[in-house]
Amino acid sequence: MIISVDEFLKGKIAAEAFAPGRVNLLGEHTDYNDGFVMPIATPQRTYVALGYSENDMCHAYSATLDQTISFKHKGDLPGGFASYLEGCMRMMDEAGVAVPPIDIYINSDVPMGAGLSSSAALEVAMLRALRSLLNAGIDDVELAKMAQQAEVKFAKVKSGLMDQMASSVGDMEHILFLDIRTLERRLLPLPPNTELIVINSGIPRNLSASKYNERRQECEEAARLLGVSSLRDAPGLDAIEKLPDPFRKRARHVFTENERVKEASAGVTAERFGHLMNASHFSLRDDFEVSIIPLDVLTDLMREHVDVYGARLTGAGFGGACVALCRKGQAKLVSEWALTEYNNTGQHGRILLPQPVAPL
Ligand code: GLA
């Protein structure tokens, strides 16, 4: 039986925090190339509550998984969801804030493996709770960087900074335009009279098992061949076209994707934004080669609808969710229609936005 927070922490909550997941609207696989991204925070979020441990061990309970893991802080790295927690605790230590033995309660309605960045939501919620418990003077950008480092160092995924920044400084009402190199950021409105649809394809993806790290290396090699420190500085399509494959295709995706984000961030119509989303999907499918057939089927379906301006996979690819920009007021009907059509192809998709169930 699922344990409540009061039961687990024996009524003694010393600190608590929430953090959202994110849906990326444009700018995929650009963050680790020093580029530009446009995510938005999800209404789905992760809750972390902390209490002081009664012994020298940390005890972590996930109500989502109904699983408890006990571990010693700075001992052997624990497995499963606790690796993210211990990663965050070690980052706090590295920042000069000593973490005592604690008990950690987690609950979340950010779906795992759906490309909504449940790991960033967990890291940011955990670090927010630790910041409040330990009165640490860490700002939201620093906190996002610590969350990313926890992921890179302890969960062994060389992810970029987008997800943690979206979770830490983004909100549900605005698109977060972010220049990853300078960390210049702006909160932008959705195109006029639009709303979002997000559907989980039902195909789970696991970042470390995916080709994510391989794509990252290919981008580094493409940058090296172009003589620049990162693909952000690629001189242009003429030079890119001369590269051997797969570096030509990888670099072409990153270059055109950055151009799309820059154009969209300047403010465009719903039609143009949708067109840029479609182009992003085709580039991820053909040049970056991170789409899979169910994601192509789902986005094609959504694109067919007269009230949809554009659709694309969101997140790293290889599974997870798709996002569509829809005429305001139509998202519920259109998402239900698209889900039925998609599931008729033998899949088990789920609507994530508009949020079908009451929030956590
Ligand atoms: C994952 C990573 C992000 C980003 C996306 C792809 O979500 O965590 O840093 O690279 O993939 O855009």
Side-chain angles (χ1 to χ4, degrees):
M1 235 215 355
I2 307 289
I3 306 173
S4 74
V5 61
D6 281 327
E7 273 174 281
F8 186 71
L9 296 178
K10 304 195 181 77
K12 291 185 192 154
I13 298 177
E16 56 190 340
F18 282 95
R22 66 98 189 90
V23 177
N24 193 18
L25 302 189
L26 271 181
E28 215 68 84
H29 291 277
T30 48
D31 63 350
Y32 54 85
N33 290 298
D34 255 1
F36 307 92
V37 294
M38 286 180 97
I40 186 166
T42 62
Q44 287 88 352
R45 50 191 195 155
T46 293
Y47 169 73
V48 169
L50 305 178
Y52 291 100
S53 170
E54 289 171 350
N55 49 48
D56 64 350
M57 297 290 286
C58 297
H59 310 274
Y61 175 74
S62 161
T64 325
L65 303 170
D66 191 17
Q67 196 187 344
T68 307
I69 302 180
S70 296
F71 60 96
K72 201 171 168 75
H73 176 41
K74 294 197 270 194
D76 290 340
L77 190 67
F81 70 90
S83 65
Y84 296 96
L85 306 176
E86 170 65 0
C88 291
M89 291 160 67
R90 291 195 194 177
M91 290 313 300
M92 272 287 174
D93 279 312
E94 277 186 30
V97 185
V99 181
I102 47 176
D103 292 339
I104 308 152
Y105 180 93
I106 302 161
N107 201 358
S108 181
D109 60 358
V110 185
M112 282 181 272
L116 257 59
S117 228
S118 56
S119 59
L122 176 58
E123 290 147 4
V124 171
M126 176 66 178
L127 284 166
R128 281 180 174 167
L130 285 170
R131 174 172 69 183
S132 131
L133 180 79
L134 305 166
N135 283 318
I138 293 168
D139 68 27
D140 291 341
V141 172
E142 197 50 39
L143 188 132
K145 288 182 185 168
M146 288 167 70
Q148 183 217 6
Q149 283 309 305
E151 177 127 3
V152 171
K153 287 190 184 166
F154 303 106
K156 303 284 181 249
V157 180
K158 287 183 82 185
S159 67
L161 188 58
M162 165 173 70
D163 305 347
Q164 293 81 5
M165 279 294 283
S167 183
S168 186
V169 306
D171 68 48
M172 264 162 57
E173 278 79 41
H174 299 94
I175 306 173
L176 173 70
F177 165 79
L178 181 65
D179 176 339
I180 296 281
R181 174 172 282 166
T182 62
L183 292 187
E184 178 212 330
R185 62 183 204 265
R186 269 179 282 147
L187 289 171
L188 306 171
L190 279 175
N193 286 315
T194 60
E195 57 186 341
L196 296 173
I197 292 174
V198 179
I199 298 182
N200 185 353
S201 68
I203 316 280
R205 64 158 255 275
N206 175 338
L207 265 191
S208 27
S210 75
K211 291 184 175 275
Y212 184 86
N213 287 347
E214 182 185 303
R215 288 290 178 281
R216 198 175 164 139
Q217 276 167 7
E218 289 168 346
C219 288
E220 280 163 16
E221 180 58 11
R224 199 188 63 78
L225 291 171
L226 288 166
V228 291
S229 64
S230 78
L231 285 181
R232 151 79 169 259
D233 303 316
L237 283 175
D238 287 350
I240 289 172
E241 289 300 343
K242 295 193 182 95
L243 293 176
D245 276 329
F247 309 109
R248 180 182 70 99
K249 289 166 132 192
R250 307 299 185 248
R252 192 164 60 185
H253 166 72
V254 174
F255 183 85
T256 57
E257 187 77 351
N258 276 331
E259 294 298 304
R260 285 184 279 273
V261 180
K262 283 189 272 179
E263 181 183 340
S265 70
V268 291
T269 61
E271 285 77 11
R272 185 67 191 161
F273 201 104
H275 172 83
L276 294 170
M277 288 173 78
N278 290 338
S280 168
H281 184 85
F282 302 143
S283 176
L284 286 161
R285 181 190 66 192
D286 302 333
D287 277 351
F288 219 67
E289 297 178 285
V290 294
S291 190
I292 53 171
I293 286 168
L295 300 180
D296 296 338
V297 169
L298 180 53
T299 48
D300 273 347
L301 263 169
M302 293 201 275
R303 237 172 253 134
E304 250 176 46
H305 199 286
V306 305
D307 288 325
V308 170
Y309 298 106
R312 58 183 292 274
L313 69 84
T314 184
F318 305 108
C322 294
V323 57
L325 188 71
C326 180
R327 194 180 307 278
K328 200 172 182 74
Q330 299 304 310
K332 188 167 183 300
L333 274 178
V334 175
S335 59
E336 283 165 3
W337 166 82
L339 182 74
T340 308
E341 295 283 315
Y342 175 69
N343 282 350
N344 281 342
T345 67
Q347 300 293 354
H348 301 280
R350 252 186 65 204
I351 297 171
L352 299 173
L353 261 188
Q355 202 179 15
V357 289
L360 185 73

